[in-house]
Amino acid sequence: MRNQLSTFAVNLNKAKFVISAPDIRQLPEDAGIEVAFAGRSNAGKSSALNTLTLQKSLARTSKTPGRTQLINVFEVEEGMRLVDLPGYGFAKVPLEMKKKWQKALGEYLEKRESLKGLVVLMDIRHPLKDLDHNLIEWAVDSNLPVLALLTKSDKLSQGKASAEVLKVKKALQVLGGDIKVVAFSSLKKTGANQATQIICDWLTAETDQADSIALDEEDA
């Protein structure tokens, strides 16, 4: 997989930690492009980030779901960032703390102008819980492209995993919008190249658009 990274427009392996912020007011300047990772607290979000960046400990993993309490920002290149959002739905934490996480998550999603793509991680065995579906529906309504990453696919046979992907695709098709569904395993690296390609496309979309406009102007 490492050799295949050269085929991608951006090398996610360059990602480095920038800041952990309790809310959007303490994040880096709202400029450039950000791809955010969101999901239930037991969806394997940190493991997926580590797998996609080929780094063992970029995002902190824990056997206790819900440890991502802050908005964690990682810079891939100047003006290109990956953002690990607070997990939702599962964590056994005091209600007031959970409300604080959800406020930070909501503010980021609604107000962050540099957000250009959303990766929604769901356990392939239990996809599309209410909060997952609501988040994807919100993204579609906001004209934001979505990658539904069905994690822990190694827990199922290949045939069963493929069936789950088709089922989720069908369920989300009614929403319209730009939604891609990929079976993913941090353990076996299943779907890692697919997911990396989609994320790299999002991170470079504005650069590609600017290059296209420049070429059109030269031809004119």
Side-chain angles (χ1 to χ4, degrees):
M1 182 177 169
R2 186 175 295 275
N3 292 335
Q4 294 177 0
L5 276 174
S6 59
T7 66
F8 300 124
V10 180
N11 187 348
L12 299 185
N13 185 227
K14 292 181 180 179
K16 59 180 184 294
F17 174 75
V18 176
I19 192 172
S20 290
D23 55 56
I24 61 172
R25 284 162 286 283
Q26 297 183 44
L27 291 177
E29 181 186 1
D30 192 359
I33 298 177
E34 291 179 351
V35 172
F37 288 68
R40 294 173 65 83
S41 300
N42 58 342
K45 193 154 46 69
S46 297
S47 295
L49 266 165
N50 290 339
T51 297
L52 293 171
T53 59
L54 298 180
Q55 298 187 46
K56 291 183 178 179
S57 56
L58 180 71
R60 297 177 68 182
T61 59
S62 171
K63 291 183 179 179
T64 304
R67 286 292 176 88
T68 305
Q69 303 174 18
L70 303 170
I71 300 172
N72 297 304
V73 181
F74 309 95
E75 185 175 67
V76 178
E77 291 184 9
E78 186 175 356
M80 298 181 185
R81 296 176 295 275
L82 304 178
V83 180
D84 185 11
L85 296 172
Y88 55 79
F90 178 85
K92 296 178 181 179
V93 296
L95 182 60
E96 285 305 310
M97 183 179 293
K98 190 176 290 189
K99 285 181 178 178
K100 189 175 180 181
W101 295 0
Q102 301 316 308
K103 182 180 178 182
L105 174 65
E107 276 190 331
Y108 174 85
L109 292 171
E110 291 175 12
K111 298 180 181 179
R112 194 70 174 171
E113 295 291 334
S114 50
L115 176 61
K116 301 300 181 184
L118 183 65
V119 182
V120 179
L121 297 98
M122 299 175 281
D123 187 323
I124 195 168
R125 299 164 297 176
H126 316 287
L128 293 180
K129 300 288 188 181
D130 287 346
L131 289 173
D132 302 321
H133 197 282
N134 291 344
L135 180 57
I136 294 171
E137 189 171 8
W138 170 87
V140 169
D141 289 343
S142 302
N143 294 316
L144 199 65
V146 174
L147 168 58
L149 207 59
L150 305 185
T151 62
K152 307 181 185 182
S153 67
D154 55 278
K155 302 290 186 181
L156 301 178
S157 67
Q158 188 172 348
K160 179 64 174 173
S162 297
E164 285 297 322
V165 169
L166 289 175
K167 189 187 298 184
V168 171
K169 281 183 177 179
K170 188 174 182 179
L172 295 177
Q173 197 170 20
V174 297
L175 298 178
D178 182 358
I179 305 175
K180 294 179 175 63
V181 183
V182 174
F184 183 86
S185 168
S186 293
L187 183 65
K188 295 187 176 180
K189 310 299 184 286
T190 306
N193 281 335
Q194 267 183 287
T196 299
Q197 185 64 67
I198 292 165
I199 292 166
C200 288
D201 287 347
W202 289 346
L203 288 172
T204 57
E206 291 189 1
T207 301
D208 293 343
Q209 186 176 22
D211 290 344
S212 178
I213 291 172
L215 286 172
D216 289 342
E217 289 175 348
E218 286 179 13
D219 292 340

